[in-house]
Amino acid sequence: MATCTDVKPLLPVQDPVPADIDIAQSITPKHISQIAELGLSLLPEEYELYGPTKAKVKLSVKDRLKNAPNGKYVVVGGISPTPLGEGKSTTTVGLCQALGAYLNKKVLTCIRQPSQGPTFGIKGGAAGGGYSQVIPMEELNLHLTGDIHAISAANNLLAAAIDARMFHEAAQKDEALYRRLCPTDKSGKRRFAAVMLGRLQRLGIDKTDPDDLTPEEVSRFVRLDINPDAVMWRRVVDINDRFLRGITVGQGPEERGMERKTGFDISVASEIMAVLALASDLADMLPPTSPCCLSAACRRRL
C-alpha cells in the first residue's frame, strides 16, 4: 500500500503555496470538447459549448445511457460552517483528483455555481482552493453560463408584473382592463390566449369566446385583487447589498401614491431558483407557474 511520500504531484508544486488565483491562471486548460468527448465519451450533439472552457450537457444523454450501469455516488458534506467556509469544495475536488488522476477512474466533480454574494464577501469564491480547484476559477465564481442572471431577470420580471397589475387594477375599471388583457385584432375579433383559457377553467367559467362573458365574469377574470400588504415576492440581486434588504417602492410621481414596503433577497434564495434546482427537466419546471408565495396574496383564484 502506497504511503503519502510515494505519491508524486503530477504538476509542479511550489512552497509556499501561491494564491488561488495565481495557481488557476498558471494552468492552460484543455478545450472543454476534449474533456466531453475523450474523457466522458459524450457525442458532439450532447453538449453545448459556452466558450472554450465551459459547456452544458444536454438531458438527451440520459436517454442514450439509460441502460448503462450506475456508478458510485460520494457526498461530501459538513456542518457548523465558519465565516471562511469549511473546505467542502476543496475536499471534493481533491478527492476527484485522487480518483481520476492517480487511480485512473472515470470521475465527475459535481459542485454548485457560487453566488456572487459570498464571492465578494469575506468567504470568497467556491471553486476549491490551492492545487485542488476548478479552473478557470474566475469564470466559475462570476458568471459561468449566466444561469443565476437569468433567474434574477425572471424573478424581477414577475415582481414588476405584480406591481404593475396592482397599479392598473386600482386605476382602471373592469372593461378597460378587459380591453388591455384581451384586445381586438385587426378584424375586430377578440381571442383568449391558452393561459387565459386555463384561468377561466380555474374560475369555473366554461366559455371560450371573449364576447360571451357577462360583466360579473369579466370582473372575476380581469381582477386578481392582490393584497399589497401580503405580497411576499421580493426582487433579487446576486450580490450582498445590505441597504436593499428593506426598501419602499412606488415613490415616483406617476405611481399615484401606491407606495409599499418590500426589499431584495439574494438571487440564489429565489423561489424560481428552487424550482430550477428541483426540476428534472423542462416539463417538470412548467407546472409551478403560480408560486405559493404569490397566490397567497391574491384574494381571487389565479
Side-chain angles (χ1 to χ4, degrees), residues 147-287:
D147 287 0
I148 292 182
H149 301 311
I151 292 293
S152 302
N155 183 97
N156 294 340
L157 176 62
L158 182 53
I162 294 170
D163 285 322
R165 186 61 176 255
M166 289 190 296
F167 173 81
H168 288 299
E169 286 190 16
Q172 298 182 51
K173 295 182 178 180
D174 293 344
E175 185 56 37
L177 288 171
Y178 198 40
R179 287 197 301 268
R180 285 175 174 265
L181 289 172
C182 193
T184 58
D185 58 21
K186 293 181 180 180
S187 64
K189 183 69 174 176
R190 286 176 171 173
R191 291 181 177 83
F192 286 129
V195 66
M196 295 179 177
L197 293 173
R199 171 161 162 73
L200 287 169
Q201 290 179 354
R202 291 191 293 274
L203 291 172
I205 302 174
D206 189 20
K207 296 178 180 178
T208 58
D209 188 339
D211 295 327
D212 290 343
L213 268 64
T214 67
E216 189 271 337
E217 290 172 337
V218 167
S219 180
R220 292 171 58 202
F221 173 71
V222 300
R223 295 193 178 275
L224 298 179
D225 202 11
I226 300 172
N227 178 6
D229 296 327
V231 174
M232 294 184 288
W233 193 273
R234 293 154 57 96
R235 289 163 173 82
V236 297
V237 63
D238 193 41
I239 56 174
N240 287 339
D241 192 338
R242 65 183 308 116
F243 284 91
L244 289 179
R245 295 173 184 173
I247 63 171
T248 301
V249 295
Q251 294 183 325
E254 301 297 325
E255 277 55 71
R256 304 180 185 179
M258 292 195 61
E259 296 183 10
R260 69 180 184 90
K261 292 184 178 181
T262 181
F264 277 74
D265 294 321
I266 199 161
S267 296
V268 290
S270 166
E271 186 172 340
I272 295 180
M273 175 63 81
V275 171
L276 175 65
L278 295 174
S280 57
D281 53 34
L282 181 59
D284 196 29
M285 288 184 62
L286 296 180

Side-chain angles (χ1 to χ4, degrees), residues 2-13 101-102:
T3 64
C4 60
T5 56
D6 298 325
V7 178
K8 302 300 181 183
L10 300 181
L11 293 174
V13 175
Y102 289 95

Side-chain angles (χ1 to χ4, degrees), residues 20-62:
D20 292 348
I21 186 67
D22 294 329
I23 295 175
Q25 294 182 346
S26 70
I27 304 297
T28 300
K30 295 180 179 179
H31 197 282
I32 195 67
S33 60
Q34 289 183 260
I35 297 174
E37 297 179 22
L38 300 180
L40 301 178
S41 302
L42 294 177
L43 303 177
E45 62 270 19
E46 291 177 335
Y47 62 93
E48 182 177 358
L49 291 173
Y50 282 74
T53 58
K54 303 187 294 282
K56 281 188 176 182
V57 179
K58 297 182 179 179
L59 294 178
S60 59
V61 71
K62 295 196 304 180

Side-chain angles (χ1 to χ4, degrees), residues 82-100:
T82 70
L84 298 179
E86 300 171 279
K88 296 188 300 295
S89 298
T90 305
T91 300
T92 300
V93 176
L95 175 61
C96 291
Q97 287 174 319
L99 292 171

